Structure formats: C-alpha cells, structure tokens
C-alpha cells in the first residue's frame, strides 16, 4: 500500500509540485499540480520521477506531471520510467532519453483517482516591493520602496480572492511635476497623488475565476480593485492551440478611477477598455522571438495598436521593446508623441541561491503620459499558459537529471 499523502508531501518538498490530484491511467501515473519552486519544468519532472520511482512497483511504465496554473491544466510532461533510470545510471545519453520524453495537451481520459488532498484555503505573507521609472525629465530615477502583505483565499482551485496591503517606506515621486493642461483624461499622470497621498494603501482587492473552455481555450473573469488606480470588472478569453507558435486572445473591462487614498472610494472617471491581441513566435533562425500585436481601446478612450517584440534566451531571460500608436495626435499626447518602452525580465533563479519560478521585470519608459495607457491587470491568460511553449522545456532538458 502506498501512502499517497506522504508521497504528495515529498513531491512538494523535493520536486516543488503542490499536488492537487494523483491518478492512474493504465500503466501511467499522473501527478496534477502547480510548480511553485523550480523555474525549469524539466527539473521538476525529473525530481518528481525520482520520488515516484521509490514508491511504485514495476507495473507503472510512465510518469506524467500535469502542470496547472491557477486551476488551469496547461501541459502534460511525461517520461518513460525505465529509460529515465537508465539515463540516471549513465547507460544512455540525453539524446537517447529525449526520444522517451513527451509533452502533450491535457486531455480528459478515463483514470483512477488515487489521492486528492484538501486544498490550502488561505495563504499569506510579507514581501518587499520596489517600483521605478527611469529616464524621465523630472528625475533620472523615480522610485518607490515599500512592504506588502499579500493574502489569498481559495474557494475552489478556479475561484479565489486575493488582496494586497502596501506600506510606503520611501519614494521620490513628489518630484514628478506633470501639471500641464491635457486634452486627454488624466488616466496615468496622477501618479504622484497616488503614491504620496497615504502611507498605507490597498492596491489589490480582487475576486478571480478561471476555466478551461476547451482543449485549447481558456477563460477568466475578475472584479474588484484591479490595480492601484482602477477598480471594476472584466473578462478575458484565449485560444492557444497546443504545438502551434501562435495564439489569439481578447479582453474587455469596465473600470472606474480610484481615489488617491486607494481605499474603496472612487473618482468620477470611468471607461470601457479592451483589446484583441495576437501572439506570434517568429522562431527566427532558431531564436525564440515573439511578436505581440494588440489593438483596441485604451484608458484615455483613445483607440490604437501596440506592438511588442521580445526575445527569450535559453536561460529564461527575456528582453523586449514596445510602442503604441493611437488616434491621439502628438500635440494631444504631449512630450514624447507616443508611448514606448524597453524591458527585461530576469528569472530570480539566476540571481538567488535557491530555485524559484518568480521573475524580476525592469522597464525603461521615460515619459509617463496618458495616451496609449493600458489597464495593469494582475493576471494574463497568455502568461498563465506559458508552459505551452515547449522551448524552455526542450532547451533545458539536461536539467531533468539535477
């Protein structure tokens, strides 16, 4: 008899998988759960396979990890048990093992559920926060340093509430001096007031629901205080066919501008905003280059299109640039004429002594203006389903033995 509760704890401790289900499908054992420790998916799969190998008899031939994000099944990663053990014993090389490793779209199929743990309803903890704006005319670096308490309560795997309480320790946004008259609604240029009016604020207070709508379809709905400047309600759908290098999504949101205190009160301004976005992995000369083209209505009620081009490197670092053009003239937009920026996203795994799936993002957008401004949503379906892009898995398959 297998103590599946103990196996589940070991899978989390050694493989970083927070297990939601363990099931048997023929001679294949499936572990469904969310990876919360290892940045490289192959590393989590290899560690899970070693844990399972110690507890199961010879009737099981394949080990499969069904990766989920916020209750959404994203990808199944499988490894042949005997071939994996042969690789660990140095009887076969990585090139041979690669023939016995698969990634597939999660499909509904008959299975025998062996274990389903009680979910953790409440999680919470403190963290340090830092935000910045580099290269603006008021100061080379505008920054804010503070502390957050993040809380989350799960009603079901696909329905949860989360909130953030923020304490502002230091910032120099009082030097942001944009006071010029604008023909556009002040949708972003009140940033000084939002960051200096009150020390303790509540940037996030949100209820979110996710659902897999089909084999390649995902959906999400949300309501509450969606970011520091706006609250309201909205939804998003994404079509991301497995094995393809493109996806298309759409979102629509009704939002109202929050008060400078960032509590439960609002200002008078409200807007319906949303976009249709196409994602294309260009794969230029083997490089993971992604183009995202987004068209729709922005927070200042202007209409236009945003182009975002980025490149992902083998170690997970992503660098990119974006630009937005709308029907607002350069005179209406103000200095800068249109919105643009450069960013880099770096896995914390490269900077810390222990593994983590989290990232640090740095953006250089020197001018804070109101034209071409998007809602800063907390979740994106394209990001939640990023494991469907197998490049990070395949490029780092050598980590399956670590």
């Amino acid at each position: 008899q297998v103590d599946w509760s103990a196996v589940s704890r070991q899978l989390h401790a050694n493989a970083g998988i927070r297990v939601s289900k363990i099931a048997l499908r023929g001679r294949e054992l499936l572990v469904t759960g969310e990876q919360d420790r290892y940045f490289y998916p192959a590393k989590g799969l290899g560690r899970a396979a070693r844990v399972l190998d110690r507890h199961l008899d010879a009737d099981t031939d394949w080990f499969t990890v069904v990766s989920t994000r916020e209750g959404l099944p994203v990808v199944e990663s499988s490894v042949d048990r005997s071939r994996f053990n042969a690789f660990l014993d140095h009887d076969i090389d990585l090139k041979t093992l690669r023939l016995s490793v698969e990634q597939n779209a999660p499909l509904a199929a008959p299975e025998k559920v062996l274990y389903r743990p009680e979910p953790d309803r409440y999680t919470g903890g403190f963290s340090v926060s830092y935000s910045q704006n580099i290269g603006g005319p008021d100061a080379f670096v505008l920054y804010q340093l503070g502390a957050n308490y993040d809380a989350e309560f799960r009603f079901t795997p696909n329905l949860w509430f989360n909130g953030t309480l923020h304490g502002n320790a230091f910032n120099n946004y009082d030097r942001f001096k944009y006071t010029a008259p604008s023909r556009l609604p002040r949708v972003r240029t009140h940033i000084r007031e939002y960051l200096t009016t009150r020390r303790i604020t509540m940037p996030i207070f949100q209820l979110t629901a996710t659902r897999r709508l089909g084999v390649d379809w995902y959906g999400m709905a949300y309501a509450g205080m969606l970011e520091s400047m706006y609250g309201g309600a909205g939804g998003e759908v994404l079509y991301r066919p497995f094995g393809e290098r493109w996806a298309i999504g759409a979102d629509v949101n009704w939002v109202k501008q929050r008060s400078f205190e960032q509590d439960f009160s609002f200002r008078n301004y409200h807007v319906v905003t949303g976009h249709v976005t196409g994602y294309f992995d260009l794969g230029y000369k083997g490089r993971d280059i992604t183009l995202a083209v987004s068209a729709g209505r922005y927070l200042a009620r202007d209409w236009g299109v945003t182009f975002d081009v980025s490149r992902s490197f083998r170690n997970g670092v992503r660098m990119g640039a974006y630009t937005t053009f709308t029907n607002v003239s350069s005179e209406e937009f103000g200095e800068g004429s249109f919105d643009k920026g450069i960013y880099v996203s770096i896995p914390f795994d490269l900077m810390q002594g222990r593994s983590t799936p989290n990232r640090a993002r740095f953006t250089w957008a020197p001018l804070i203006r109101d034209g071409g401004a998007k809602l800063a949503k907390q979740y994106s379906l394209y990001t939640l389903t990023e494991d469907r892009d197998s490049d990070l898995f395949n490029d780092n398959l050598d980590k399956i033995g670590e």
Side-chain angles (χ1 to χ4, degrees):
Q1 295 294 320
V2 178
D3 184 351
W4 292 112
S5 177
V7 173
S8 176
R9 290 193 296 271
Q10 289 181 33
L11 285 169
H12 187 241
N14 297 328
I17 300 172
R18 193 173 296 277
V19 175
S20 59
K21 183 176 67 174
I22 299 177
L24 194 64
R25 189 165 63 194
R27 299 176 69 88
E28 176 186 15
L29 189 88
L30 297 94
V31 175
T32 301
E34 184 163 341
Q35 175 61 249
D36 64 7
R37 179 173 306 170
Y38 296 110
F39 177 77
Y40 299 103
K43 189 172 183 178
L45 174 62
R47 285 176 165 260
R50 287 195 288 271
V51 170
L52 296 172
D53 186 63
R54 292 196 296 268
H55 291 276
L56 298 176
D57 57 30
D59 291 337
T60 304
D61 295 334
W62 284 81
F63 297 136
T64 294
V65 172
V66 184
S67 299
T68 64
R69 289 287 302 275
E70 305 298 353
L72 298 172
V74 179
V75 63
E76 291 184 0
S77 303
S78 306
V79 61
D80 181 276
R81 181 182 187 177
S82 61
R83 288 295 185 95
F84 181 63
N85 288 332
F87 172 74
L88 295 180
D89 292 337
H90 305 289
D91 293 331
I92 63 173
D93 58 14
L94 183 65
K95 184 178 179 180
T96 304
L97 175 65
R98 191 180 294 272
L99 301 176
S100 300
V101 177
E102 297 181 2
Q103 281 200 307
N104 298 288
L107 298 175
E111 62 183 24
K112 179 183 178 182
V113 177
L114 303 175
Y115 179 68
R116 196 187 299 271
E118 282 294 321
D120 293 331
R121 298 289 183 185
Y122 177 82
T123 56
F126 289 95
S127 62
V128 175
S129 68
Y130 175 76
S131 61
Q132 65 182 14
N133 184 266
I134 300 176
D138 300 308
F140 179 72
V141 178
L142 294 173
Y143 67 89
Q144 183 193 50
L145 179 66
N148 292 338
Y149 183 80
D150 301 299
E152 178 182 285
F153 185 86
R154 289 268 168 178
F155 302 98
T156 71
N158 298 89
L159 178 65
W160 72 96
F161 158 83
N162 69 296
T164 298
L165 197 64
H166 175 75
N168 178 20
F170 308 99
N171 79 69
N172 67 342
Y173 274 89
D174 57 335
R175 300 174 66 180
F176 181 73
K177 302 297 185 182
Y178 183 82
T179 56
S182 174
R183 300 180 187 178
L184 295 176
R186 296 284 294 275
V187 296
R188 287 300 184 201
T189 50
H190 280 307
I191 187 171
R192 179 183 66 245
E193 290 82 352
Y194 279 101
L195 296 182
T196 61
T197 297
R198 180 176 287 181
R199 284 281 184 182
I200 305 297
T201 58
M202 183 189 63
I204 302 292
F205 191 87
Q206 179 174 326
L207 182 69
T208 309
T210 60
R211 186 171 181 177
R212 192 183 185 196
L213 305 175
V215 175
D216 299 314
W217 286 90
Y218 296 92
M220 177 170 59
Y222 41 86
M225 305 303 171
L226 307 178
E227 53 145 293
S228 59
M229 296 187 187
Y230 292 91
E236 181 183 357
V237 293
L238 176 72
Y239 178 62
R240 189 168 191 171
F242 190 84
E244 300 292 340
R245 291 187 170 272
W246 61 273
I248 187 168
D251 71 290
V252 62
N253 312 275
W254 181 92
V255 293
K256 193 170 185 179
Q257 198 169 52
R258 298 178 62 183
S259 67
F260 298 147
E261 290 77 13
Q262 296 181 54
D263 49 21
F264 290 102
S265 57
F266 292 90
R267 295 166 59 83
N268 291 328
Y269 183 76
H270 61 85
V271 62
V272 174
T273 178
H275 295 81
V276 175
T277 304
Y279 306 89
F280 310 93
D281 188 342
L282 305 180
Y284 178 68
K285 293 185 178 179
R287 298 168 181 169
D288 188 5
I289 297 177
T290 301
L291 169 66
V293 182
S294 179
R297 194 185 197 204
Y298 297 85
L299 287 172
R301 299 193 179 114
D302 46 339
W303 295 81
V305 59
T306 298
F307 299 92
D308 186 310
V309 180
S310 61
R311 180 184 176 187
S312 182
F313 296 86
R314 184 178 181 273
N315 58 7
V317 174
R318 180 170 289 275
M319 300 180 64
Y322 66 89
T323 183
T324 298
F325 301 95
T326 74
N327 58 347
V328 172
S329 67
S330 59
E331 291 78 12
E332 292 175 293
F333 184 91
E335 183 182 357
S337 301
F338 57 92
D339 192 43
K340 62 269 192 183
I342 299 172
Y343 61 88
V344 57
S345 176
I346 303 174
F348 278 133
D349 192 87
L350 300 177
M351 302 184 290
Q352 293 183 325
R354 66 180 186 87
S355 293
T356 173
N358 297 325
R359 289 174 170 269
R361 179 177 168 118
F362 303 93
T363 302
W364 180 70
L367 294 173
I368 300 174
R369 293 295 181 261
D370 296 308
K374 280 188 174 183
L375 181 68
K377 296 190 302 178
Q378 190 175 14
Y379 304 106
S380 159
L381 286 176
Y382 189 77
T383 302
L384 292 179
T385 60
E386 64 184 357
D387 283 348
R388 286 210 154 199
D389 183 350
S390 60
D391 288 343
L392 183 66
F393 181 89
N394 292 325
D395 289 345
N396 296 276
L397 187 60
D398 57 306
K399 297 185 181 295
I400 198 170
E402 293 183 2

